Amino acid sequence: MDARGQSGAASRKLVIWLSIPLVLVGMVFGGWSAVRYKHQRARADWKTAALAGLGGLSITNEDFNRELELVRAKRGAGEHQQWTGKRILLMTNDEYLVYASRHGFNSGFVDHLFLARASDGRWYYSTYHFCNGMVGIMSDDPPGSIAEFVRTYSARQFDGKSDECLQHTWPVKE
């Protein structure tokens, strides 16, 4: 083989060796993107179902009304002030939030999602980590109002329909 042939073979080997890391990086990025898309899709699907369920609840719903009265009855009882129910958060001024909460997988993506309809009809969302069953706030003192809840737990108001509620709210970035 002459010098040109050896030079061409060396160039091909160099191209192959330089291509391998690029292909690996592309595969890792593609896999990460696919997993991220899967999590986003599952979260968006959950949001749609949760909003429909929350929108259908009202003070005239017997189960909802019974839960609200139960939370009111146990307010101030126990070691911690009771202000949480399975679907209701009761403020000390008697305002309430009817909520649904999705605990994420802490996978590096914004997975947590809290959606709520307030007693005055306004809608809120938060990505605060309330944890499963809202255990992340059960030992907290109940907020005095929904406005205080919004400040404390990084909630934002939205229209109750749009994907705006899928946006990041917590931790608050300075």
Side-chain angles (χ1 to χ4, degrees), residues 53-69 72 87-88 96 98 117-119:
L54 290 171
L57 289 176
S58 74
I59 198 72
T60 60
N61 178 288
E62 191 174 313
D63 289 336
F64 166 78
N65 201 22
R66 192 175 14 254
E67 183 179 345
L68 180 59
E69 290 310 313
R72 281 181 176 143
R87 297 178 296 183
I88 296 172
Y96 60 84
V98 181
R117 188 172 46 95
S119 48

Side-chain angles (χ1 to χ4, degrees), residues 8 11 15 27 29 33 41 55 73 79 88 106 109 120 134 136 141 153-155 167:
S11 294
V15 167
M27 289 172 60
F29 181 75
S33 296
R41 188 74 256 142
E79 180 184 346
I88 296 172
N106 293 325
F109 308 121
D120 67 1
M134 303 301 276
D141 288 336
Y153 300 106
S154 303
Q167 300 301 310

Side-chain angles (χ1 to χ4, degrees), residues 124-151:
Y124 294 93
Y125 72 99
S126 176
T127 55
Y128 185 87
H129 186 182
F130 292 101
C131 210
N132 285 322
M134 303 301 276
V135 297
I137 65 169
M138 285 182 162
S139 63
D140 293 353
D141 288 336
S145 65
I146 291 173
E148 184 180 334
F149 177 90
V150 165
R151 285 189 304 276

Side-chain angles (χ1 to χ4, degrees), residues 2-98:
D2 66 3
R4 270 189 280 163
Q6 288 178 344
S7 173
S11 294
R12 281 190 294 280
K13 284 183 182 179
L14 181 62
V15 167
I16 290 171
W17 281 107
L18 291 176
S19 298
I20 290 172
L22 293 174
V23 169
L24 290 175
V25 167
M27 289 172 60
V28 168
F29 181 75
W32 178 83
S33 296
V35 168
R36 184 170 187 237
Y37 176 78
K38 177 184 166 193
H39 283 282
Q40 287 174 333
R41 188 74 256 142
R43 194 166 170 262
D45 291 345
W46 178 88
K47 173 221 51 141
T48 301
L51 288 175
L54 290 171
L57 289 176
S58 74
I59 198 72
T60 60
N61 178 288
E62 191 174 313
D63 289 336
F64 166 78
N65 201 22
R66 192 175 14 254
E67 183 179 345
L68 180 59
E69 290 310 313
L70 181 64
V71 174
R72 281 181 176 143
K74 64 181 189 172
R75 185 179 0 206
E79 180 184 346
H80 302 294
Q81 294 187 43
Q82 302 292 315
W83 63 286
T84 63
K86 289 183 181 182
R87 297 178 296 183
I88 296 172
L89 300 176
L90 184 62
M91 311 305 134
T92 59
N93 69 354
D94 218 37
E95 292 177 329
Y96 60 84
L97 293 168
V98 181

